[in-house]
Structures are given as C-alpha cells and as structure tokens.
Amino acid sequence: MERTLSIIKPDGVSHGLIGEVIRRFEKSNIKIVGMKLLKMTKTEAEGFYMVHKERPFFDSLTDFMSSGPVVVMVLEGEYVIDKNRRLMGATNPEEADEGTIRKDFATEIEKNVVHGSDSPETASVEIAYFFNRFEIVG
C-alpha cells in the first residue's frame, strides 16, 4: 500500500467541489485515511511550496494557497500516487485529459482545483507537513 497527499485548493473549496473530488477518489477505490479543512497562512504556504522558491510563480502560488480554506487528505491504495495524478490530470487544464478533475473544473494553470504528491519521497514529506501519525488511520 502506498500513501500520498492530496489538497483541494481554495478554488475547489469555494466552488463546492469537495464532495465531487472525494467521490472520484472513492469511485477509483482510493481510501482516505486522513482529512482536514484548514486555512494556511502565507508563511505556511511558503513552507509547503519551498521547493518552488526560486520559480517565478512562487509568490502568486503561495498567495493563492493562503487565500482561503483547503482540504488536505492522506490517500491510500495500490499505486495511489499514479492513480491520483491520472485522476487530477495535467497541471495545465488546457492540456488535461477529458474527464480529469482539472479538465472538468480548473480555470487556469494555478487555480487548478487540486494538488497531489508526485513521488513516494515527496508524499512522505508533504504528509508530514500537515499530519502527525495519530491523525492517520488505516
């Protein structure tokens, strides 16, 4: 079994997509083993996205991610990182496959509804950023 972090971003929360995203996970046999609704501060968003610190989009991304509530989840299942990334679709919604979360709901490359870890190493770091071991069941 593999675990990954998923975030429903502020645009997904504000557009009432929490249930739809969770429905897609459950329909794909992805188990949610941890979940929280929270609002990151700018500093917390900067800490989470520190790997992108030198990128030109860092400030706008961290402003956006701290602009409203997010839902952070720990997902579990076989090949869950790859499965979640296929469900999300390409980062740029214009390049995402039909039927993916980003193709169906994203409005632009930054406001693309969801975030998901891209590797087991990243997932481990990202999960630990938001959850302690007592907050994950399963």
Side-chain angles (χ1 to χ4, degrees):
M1 283 296 163
E2 190 174 65
R3 287 185 175 163
T4 191
L5 183 83
S6 174
I7 301 176
I8 303 175
K9 296 180 178 184
D11 56 327
V13 173
S14 68
H15 288 104
L17 297 172
I18 297 169
E20 177 61 23
V21 171
I22 290 171
R23 184 189 70 74
R24 290 182 186 212
F25 292 154
E26 291 178 336
K27 189 176 175 188
S28 298
N29 295 316
I30 293 174
K31 185 177 177 183
I32 299 169
V33 295
M35 183 165 53
K36 299 180 187 184
L37 175 71
L38 53 88
K39 185 175 184 303
M40 283 188 271
T41 65
K42 172 78 168 171
T43 302
E44 290 166 338
E46 288 172 343
F48 182 74
Y49 285 105
M50 189 56 64
V51 297
H52 299 303
K53 178 95 173 114
E54 302 305 319
R55 296 286 206 27
F57 58 82
F58 181 75
D59 280 333
S60 62
L61 174 62
T62 54
D63 283 343
F64 168 61
M65 289 301 290
S66 60
S67 70
V70 298
V71 175
V72 293
M73 292 174 276
V74 180
L75 308 178
E76 184 179 80
E78 287 189 40
Y79 309 106
V80 74
I81 294 170
D82 183 56
K83 193 182 279 189
N84 181 45
R85 294 191 68 77
R86 282 186 277 119
L87 281 173
M88 290 189 307
T91 302
N92 183 343
E94 293 177 11
E95 298 170 4
D97 291 338
E98 292 296 327
T100 62
I101 294 167
R102 289 174 172 157
K103 184 67 165 186
D104 292 347
F105 304 112
T107 57
E108 60 184 82
I109 196 165
E110 203 166 90
K111 295 179 180 169
N112 61 10
V113 183
V114 286
H115 164 90
S117 305
D118 61 5
S119 71
E121 297 77 24
T122 304
S124 178
V125 171
E126 290 182 348
I127 290 168
Y129 194 83
F130 292 107
F131 292 89
N132 69 49
R133 64 186 177 94
F134 299 109
E135 297 172 311
I136 301 171
V137 297

